[in-house]
Amino acid sequence: MDSYINLNHISTEELKHVDLNGVNVNCNPPDVEPQRQYYFMAKCRHIVKSESERLGRPLYACIQVFGCQMNARDSEKLAGILREVGYELTENEDADFVIYNTCTVRDNANQRVYGRLGHLNSLKKKKKHMKIALCGCMMQEPSAVEKIKQSYRFVDLIFGTHNIYKFAELLVTMFESDRMVVDIWQETDQIVESLPVERKYPFKSGINIMFGCNNFCSYCIVPYVRGRERSRRPEEIIHEIEMLVSEGVVEVMLLGQNVNSYGRNLEESITFAQLLRQVEQIEGLKRIRFMTSHPKDLSDELIQVMKESKKICRHLHLPLQSGSTRILKAMNRRYTKEQYLVLVEKIRKEIPDLAITTDIIVGFPGEAPCDVDETIDVVRKVKYDNAFTFIYSKRTGTPAATMENQVPEAVVKEGFDRLLKVVQDTARERAGLLEGKTMDALVEEVNEQDASLVTGRLSNNTMVHFKGDASLIGQIVPVYLKECHGFYYLGEKDEKTF
Ligand code: SAH
Ligand code: SF4
Ligand code: F3S
């Protein structure tokens, strides 16, 4: 037994190098995290190994991302654990284990999950040992879980957003049970770090700097399914980024529902702008992005830091939601049309080459065509580089869902189409501004349509395609932006400066 490792006596740092085959899974699991999860990973490894021996082939797992960047980042954490316990990862749903990481921000996200579950059921009928798990934001809604328990009884495991760090433990429970395992927590104040992560890209990564949201915009379900706002300590964030950079990451995306309120719940107070200053100092890191900025909390200090920075990308996502002050008030956004416009003017004056994108909702309860006119007016004045336009979706449990004056579908559609046209027109005006210039692009992949081209991302988030091969992936390359084709450029590698 001496050759076994006892996880109770091992530090979080050392855990990363533990050979899970040497962990004693016959003793009781440790009480502390993340040691406890490493114990369950070791246990799960045995289960996966014997199943794979029985089948005479590796076991495959497939994770589907249904939501935002946080959802994608959570999926990387799940993938890390799956890889650690012995699964091969695949994009193909005809796998031994399929996990849907769900989203519930709009009803169509939920409907997509239900639609695709039917298909999974037919796959499972042909493959009895197949396991299916559902997790993510939609699972934090009791009505969705109830529906799955009733009508989708072939699902093996359901868990939520607060306990994803317990994935290894849940996997073991799932394998040891012959019934559906459901574990949903209402809240958590725990932030468990140092678990394995399987990144989608070797050269760029998202980093959670905070979890949850305290803003309670009246249409939005996120604060209910993600819980209260919790910031990670700056030293943990910096440490994680340093580790990533040592593994080859050159671009990070700092993630939070409202990064501008970062640090408010921490004992030692720190602002988002101060955090950015620290991240900027990390040697080897080339690019910094962040998402999302709430206009009400965007400080002058942040504008200054962005302006002075050599690494922060020239892109700001600044959700407007509506251009009508009356609707903004009902949405509980806590800024007026005028305040938003003044903010944009200030930002544009300080950082003229910044691309600004936004989110807009059409059809919020009580919205009249004249309110859409106000939104259109803002779009014309700001000239967004891109705007994501959404039709209002009623989310049960939010204040807006019980507002009486819900807008008829035909009126919403008319407003949506009118807005979309202006969004497209103004975005077209902005596109092409960089034509004829040479800009740095981070090469992300070989072009899907034409293998003689690679695709890179400019600092302002626009894509450029140019001649090159896979050896350029992950490199930052100066590219001459020859022609603008709507939302992307065709370019040429600038050999003089590369
Ligand atoms: N925290 C971020 C984004 C959260 S969700 C922020 O505040 O900007 C992403 C986008 O989904 C929101 O910006 C909003 O435009 C949209 N959205 C949220 N709830 C919605 C709803 N009920 N109906 C339609 N769109 C919604
Ligand atoms: Fe939702 Fe508003 Fe929070 Fe964004 S800031 S997640 S829109 S409540
Ligand atoms: Fe993101 Fe959807 Fe949840 S947008 S936070 S995955 S509800």
Side-chain angles (χ1 to χ4, degrees), residues 356-378:
I356 301 180
T357 57
T358 201
D359 290 345
I360 298 171
I361 298 174
V362 181
F364 182 85
E367 187 181 67
C370 62
D371 296 305
V372 180
D373 291 341
E374 297 279 304
T375 303
I376 288 177
D377 186 45
V378 176

Side-chain angles (χ1 to χ4, degrees), residues 105 212-224 257-258 292 294 296 319 321 331-334 359 361:
V105 76
C213 180
N214 283 353
N215 287 305
F216 290 95
C217 302
S218 63
Y219 50 82
C220 184
I221 195 81
V222 172
Y224 304 89
Q257 294 298 349
N258 175 15
T292 299
H294 196 307
K296 78 176 164 60
Q321 313 301 1
M331 285 178 162
N332 192 29
R333 287 291 288 179
R334 287 172 275 173
D359 290 345
I361 298 174

Side-chain angles (χ1 to χ4, degrees), residues 313-326:
C313 288
R314 289 305 186 236
H315 173 218
L316 179 68
H317 188 63
L318 193 64
L320 168 69
Q321 313 301 1
S322 168
S324 155
T325 296
R326 192 176 68 85

Side-chain angles (χ1 to χ4, degrees), residues 67-68 71 102-105 137 222 226 257:
C68 60
N71 189 273
T102 63
C103 169
T104 187
V105 76
C137 293
V222 172
R226 286 269 169 182
Q257 294 298 349

